Amino acid sequence: MNVIPLRLSGAEDSAAAWLAIMDRGELSYEQRQQLHAWLEENARHADAFLRLARLWGQMDALQVLAQQKSAPKAESRIVGRRLALGAAAGAIVCVAALLAPGPSTWFAQDSQAPTERVYETDVGEQSHARLDDGSVIALNTRSKLRVRYQETERSIDLISGEANFEVAKNPQVPFVVYAGNGAVRAVGTAFNVRVRDGNSVDVTVAEGTVQVTAGTAATKHSSSERTESALKQLTLKRGGVANYGDAIQTYGYVTPEKLAQNLAWKNGKWIFAGESLAMVVAEANRYSSTPIEIADPAIGGVRVGGYFDVGDVNALLHALEVGFGIQVRRGQDAIQLSAASPSPPVS
């Protein structure tokens, strides 16, 4: 069973991203310099790097710390060896903004036509893209979005699924994500948007500040000033979460641990910390081409904890069998879960 207690901090989130970058091969000179600078910036950075390297069994990465202490800055060399990170390679998105150049101009001086692109992922796929202004998008499984940059607005239509945005600062041209019956507006920040069934939308803020606007009047052609009386709006800072449909349904702030858990997918990880089996199955189904069904309603409330590579449905099902008293039956059309004997306790 792959159950590992985690309390991820901001330093550990960045450490996971650096480990994932190393998994992609040899670091460039600029990346080596940036990694050295990050490790020297705060003792907690090196501690986080060491902790995750040990936790994930990536002991080869420890050579980075040895070189950091022994080699002169001008002569230090860091070679990223292939590490057993699996799906965690997607964590490059976390620090892509740090490695990006400053905001660029996405319009030619003599062109009035906006730049438009469509990004899409299939079941179990994840991808990331750097936009023309330096912003970075990470796209989760079964997701689709359209990017349309104009002179007055950087517009994103999140048609389905989930995406994480690292926004390049440009106060003159706001970055707006349209999802469901609302919009999320930012200038330079990092946030996550997920479209659920029935146009229910979740928003999570990782850095900075965003404005959430809910209601059917929230369209690309409506300014918040003109429609303020007809809309419900909310400003969220780091750790803020909200759900909206035709109006803002719920909102609040979560702990750093819960924030890390909510955003773990972009680091290539699933973190479950006592969620019900029903919630875990719903999440797993986003990544599975074969539906997973709870055949025995009595087990829907079983609490599940664990730490997995994101989308590794087989590892999750194995953990449910050996650690949570769940029987797994695999059929051609569905995977059915039921209680083994005796029935597992429900807390």
Side-chain angles (χ1 to χ4, degrees):
M1 183 174 64
N2 196 8
V3 179
I4 303 174
L6 285 180
R7 301 178 67 85
L8 288 179
S9 65
E12 287 171 326
D13 196 48
S14 296
W18 276 116
L19 289 169
I21 292 174
M22 293 174 63
D23 180 57
R24 299 174 68 90
E26 183 175 351
L27 301 180
S28 68
Y29 174 79
E30 290 79 10
Q31 289 172 325
R32 293 197 300 269
Q33 295 298 104
Q34 288 170 343
L35 178 54
H36 274 297
W38 181 77
L39 288 170
E40 291 181 346
E41 186 178 275
N42 192 306
R44 290 179 299 176
H45 294 176
D47 291 341
F49 192 86
L50 174 63
R51 179 171 183 260
L52 287 190
R54 286 174 172 170
L55 182 65
W56 294 345
Q58 296 147 21
M59 302 307 293
D60 288 345
L62 300 183
Q63 65 179 302
V64 173
L65 295 179
Q67 291 169 341
Q68 182 71 14
K69 295 179 180 179
S70 62
K73 294 181 181 179
E75 299 179 359
S76 62
R77 298 179 180 179
I78 301 176
V79 178
R81 298 182 61 183
R82 300 297 297 176
L83 304 176
L85 278 173
I92 188 172
V93 175
C94 293
V95 295
L98 297 176
L99 307 180
S104 60
T105 301
W106 54 87
F107 274 92
Q109 294 297 322
D110 58 351
S111 173
Q112 298 299 317
T115 299
E116 183 171 328
R117 296 187 180 91
V118 175
Y119 300 91
E120 188 171 8
T121 56
D122 205 342
V123 178
E125 291 182 345
Q126 292 182 339
S127 68
H128 71 277
R130 188 185 306 278
L131 305 183
D132 294 339
D133 67 329
S135 298
V136 176
I137 294 177
L139 205 59
N140 206 353
T141 177
R142 302 188 191 216
S143 301
K144 183 177 182 179
L145 60 76
R146 180 181 296 108
V147 177
R148 183 177 173 85
Y149 275 12
Q150 305 171 78
E151 291 181 330
T152 57
E153 182 178 284
R154 296 173 285 173
S155 301
I156 309 292
D157 288 309
L158 182 57
I159 300 167
S160 61
E162 182 175 20
N164 188 270
F165 305 92
E166 300 270 355
V167 182
K169 290 185 178 180
N170 188 334
Q172 286 71 45
V173 187
F175 189 100
V176 184
V177 177
Y178 296 93
N181 291 328
V184 184
R185 182 180 297 264
V187 173
T189 186
F191 61 99
N192 200 86
V193 181
R194 176 177 173 183
V195 178
R196 296 181 180 270
D197 295 336
N199 278 333
S200 175
V201 177
D202 293 338
V203 179
T204 302
V205 183
E207 296 291 345
T209 303
V210 305
Q211 182 186 69
V212 180
T213 301
T216 55
T219 68
K220 296 179 187 180
H221 309 292
S222 302
S223 70
S224 59
E225 291 77 17
R226 290 197 302 269
T227 61
E228 185 174 0
S229 61
L231 297 175
K232 294 185 178 180
Q233 295 182 339
L234 177 69
T235 299
L236 292 175
K237 297 183 179 181
R238 174 180 170 82
V241 296
N243 172 267
Y244 70 81
D246 291 332
I248 295 172
Q249 303 296 326
T250 60
Y251 65 92
Y253 284 83
V254 298
T255 64
E257 291 80 13
K258 183 62 176 177
L259 179 63
Q261 181 183 359
N262 290 348
L263 302 179
W265 69 266
K266 69 187 180 70
N267 289 346
K269 295 297 175 183
W270 266 338
I271 301 176
F272 301 120
E275 285 76 18
S276 68
L277 179 63
M279 293 180 63
V280 171
V281 167
E283 176 67 14
N285 271 325
R286 301 171 63 201
Y287 299 82
S288 178
S289 56
T290 304
I292 305 172
E293 302 173 350
I294 298 178
D296 182 358
I299 65 173
V302 171
R303 300 297 172 180
V304 178
Y307 182 80
F308 309 89
D309 288 338
V310 70
D312 193 345
V313 175
N314 288 330
L316 173 62
L317 293 175
H318 177 70
L320 293 176
E321 285 185 301
V322 301
F324 296 91
I326 306 297
Q327 187 175 51
V328 178
R329 291 188 177 92
R330 299 174 185 266
Q332 287 186 335
D333 300 325
I335 299 171
Q336 293 194 330
L337 308 182
S338 58
S341 182
S343 298
V346 178
S347 57

